[in-house]
Amino acid sequence: MRVVLAYSGGLDTTTCIVWLKEKYQAEVITVTVDVGQEEDFEDVERRALKAGASQHYTIDAKEDFARGYIFPAIKMNALYEGSYPLSTALARPLIAEKVLRVAKKVGADAIAHGSTSKGNDQVRFDLTIRALDPDIKIITPARSWGMTRKDEIEYLRARGIEVPNVNKKYSVDDNLWGRSIEGGELDDPSHPPPEEAFKWTVSPEKAPDNPLTLEIEFSQGIPVAINGEKMDPVKLINTLNIIGGSHGVGRIDHIENRLVGFKSREVYEAPAATILIKAHEDLEKAVLTPRELRIKRMVEPIWSDLVYNGLWFEPARRAIEALGDEMNRWVTGSVGVRIYKGSVTVISRKSPYMIYSQNIASYDVGWYPSEEKAIGFIEIWGMHSLSALRVRRNAL
Ligand code: ARG
């Protein structure tokens, strides 16, 4: 049997290689998908081969991730439960698709991933694979082997396999769009996250004393330049992660409702996501009608829920995006944001499609409706409510 395994280089997936070979006498081919995680991919390959993989693939999917997953998320101002920019959740369907592609290419009998039965990721992987291939066998060693992390370390040691990251305190998943940190002391939500949990962001107290202003340019809802400098998507997001992180921007600590039946305390670092969504949301307010905005804000959380809950391939996601894309045609222009000791504040916005008009809005100049028009408007505007009050005033 030939199995293609989604391999991260960590403890669980390294154990998967050895376990798959022992349990199924399988040939194991590993695939690592580069979605912008901080990783030495050559070392990952070396570890995979040393643990017994027969072949290893590293696939650079950063650009696909930015254009096909992060950009739609920006257009939908995607924050699960108002807080989490969905970094891990967005990458899963892409990773599944890339790994499945290798599985088809090498004629694999099965596809394997290292998700446990406690997380959301198992749902995201399984359902994406099923959406793309209704038949391929899915093997999830970590759901069936019944080993703790300690047992896995023992298991590898007993077989003379190099154990990756034994000293790691937290379970971390990172990519271009953010870094998720779980486990260790973080499991106790009554305690603040220790400073050492963070890697991309300085603590706001240690951030520079001077605020920094950035001009972020959008074209049809997509960020294209910072301070006038055009950048490709990957560079733009990386740049904002570095700048934002150095000012303590993008730390998130919240209680999250997992898809799998329980609440968990989740800590994230997502400077670029925090800045870009804030800026994008603000620009929308300047260019969309109040009805457009109201409708869009109603469906945005539904989009985020679908992505969080492993339903990337649900047709409703595309339908919501079609609505969002239609409105994002006008989200072109630039937004000034000031970042300062962990905060992001929008301080200016410009757009050729601005519905806002200074001439109309200003108290000093321009348009004033006549007194007669204003009184007539108010009278008719209030009619429904005032009529109801008249009927009800004496009723009870
Ligand atoms: N709670 C987040 C999600 O479900 C992040 C999971 C991250 N995984 C991890 N091993 N740290 O998308």
Side-chain angles (χ1 to χ4, degrees):
M1 166 149 104
R2 180 175 271 189
V3 182
V4 168
L5 167 70
Y7 183 66
S8 68
L11 176 64
D12 289 339
T13 52
T14 301
T15 311
C16 283
I17 300 178
V18 184
W19 189 88
L20 285 166
K21 290 182 69 175
E22 274 185 19
K23 171 99 196 240
Y24 294 93
Q25 279 77 50
E27 179 199 354
V28 180
I29 296 171
T30 44
V31 182
T32 302
V33 182
D34 175 3
V35 280
Q37 66 271 42
E38 286 181 327
E39 194 60 86
D40 175 345
F41 292 103
E42 273 168 29
D43 196 50
V44 170
E45 165 157 17
R46 186 189 59 78
R47 293 207 294 267
L49 297 175
K50 262 190 114 179
S54 66
Q55 278 181 73
H56 178 83
Y57 290 78
T58 303
I59 297 171
D60 180 355
K62 291 193 285 291
E63 178 98 18
D64 287 357
F65 185 41
R67 289 188 193 278
Y69 297 78
I70 294 176
F71 282 177
I74 294 173
K75 287 183 177 179
M76 294 313 301
N77 302 310
L79 294 173
Y80 177 65
E81 295 184 333
S83 301
Y84 164 41
L86 293 165
S87 44
T88 298
L90 283 163
R92 294 322 191 198
L94 174 61
I95 295 170
E97 186 201 315
K98 297 289 184 195
V99 175
L100 187 65
R101 207 176 277 184
V102 174
K104 294 216 162 131
K105 186 170 134 184
V106 301
D109 306 287
I111 183 165
H113 60 86
S115 308
T116 70
S117 57
K118 247 186 150 159
N120 299 317
D121 286 334
Q122 54 174 337
V123 184
R124 299 168 184 154
F125 279 122
D126 283 9
L127 284 181
T128 309
I129 295 165
R130 273 294 157 264
L132 298 172
D133 186 330
D135 302 316
I136 194 164
K137 185 177 165 65
I138 302 172
I139 305 176
T140 49
R143 282 196 297 214
S144 63
W145 64 32
M147 288 193 273
T148 61
R149 282 177 80 80
K150 245 189 172 162
D151 298 335
E152 292 173 45
I153 293 168
E154 288 292 300
Y155 181 90
L156 291 181
R157 284 212 175 117
R159 287 158 181 79
I161 310 281
E162 183 187 334
V163 179
N165 306 323
V166 251
N167 304 324
K168 251 177 51 178
K169 272 192 131 172
Y170 306 104
S171 162
V172 173
D173 176 68
D174 68 315
N175 62 46
L176 202 53
W177 202 226
R179 180 169 179 266
S180 318
I181 315 128
E182 296 175 325
E185 308 98 311
L186 299 177
D187 287 342
D188 179 353
S190 70
H191 285 117
E195 212 33 56
E196 59 178 331
F198 298 105
K199 208 174 155 203
W200 289 12
T201 56
V202 300
S203 84
E205 303 89 273
K206 296 225 171 86
D209 288 325
N210 294 323
L212 181 74
T213 301
L214 298 170
E215 192 77 10
I216 299 169
E217 193 183 325
F218 290 88
S219 170
Q220 304 205 315
I222 286 167
V224 291
I226 302 171
N227 292 342
E229 189 188 333
K230 297 262 177 230
M231 287 184 205
D232 69 72
V234 175
K235 184 172 174 209
L236 186 141
I237 294 164
N238 272 329
T239 303
L240 287 178
N241 275 330
I242 293 166
I243 300 178
S246 74
H247 282 265
V249 164
R251 290 187 174 187
I252 298 153
D253 173 356
H254 84 147
I255 299 285
E256 186 168 296
N257 285 302
R258 270 198 202 175
L259 163 58
V260 286
F262 63 96
K263 290 184 190 289
S264 61
R265 195 273 190 91
E266 300 283 336
V267 176
Y268 302 101
E269 292 177 282
T274 303
I275 296 168
L276 287 170
I277 291 175
K278 237 196 163 140
H280 176 267
E281 216 173 23
D282 182 273
L283 189 55
E284 284 185 332
K285 290 192 194 174
V287 301
L288 296 181
T289 73
R291 282 89 190 185
E292 284 178 313
L293 268 177
R294 184 57 55 94
I295 293 164
K296 188 160 182 291
R297 298 287 182 264
M298 275 163 57
V299 296
E300 283 170 355
I302 301 177
W303 191 90
S304 294
D305 284 357
L306 291 173
V307 174
Y308 186 84
N309 292 328
L311 296 173
W312 180 258
F313 283 91
E314 158 66 47
R317 177 184 62 83
R318 285 179 196 278
I320 295 172
E321 280 174 21
L323 180 141
D325 286 348
E326 169 64 28
M327 297 187 195
N328 269 282
R329 285 167 60 205
W330 312 108
V331 188
T332 293
S334 63
V335 179
V337 294
R338 194 179 59 195
I339 58 178
Y340 178 61
K341 291 196 180 287
S343 72
V344 186
T345 315
V346 174
I347 53 171
S348 63
R349 65 292 281 160
K350 283 184 226 131
S351 168
Y353 306 123
M354 198 96 148
I355 297 172
Y356 172 87
S357 151
Q358 197 170 343
N359 190 43
I360 288 182
S362 170
Y363 283 127
D364 302 325
V365 287
W367 180 78
Y368 265 97
S370 68
E371 184 177 20
E372 195 189 359
K373 272 190 186 168
I375 291 171
F377 163 71
I378 294 164
E379 192 182 313
I380 297 171
W381 163 249
M383 245 166 87
H384 273 303
S385 307
L386 295 177
S387 309
L389 287 185
R390 257 197 312 280
V391 171
R392 293 177 189 181
R393 196 164 283 141
N394 304 316
L396 292 176

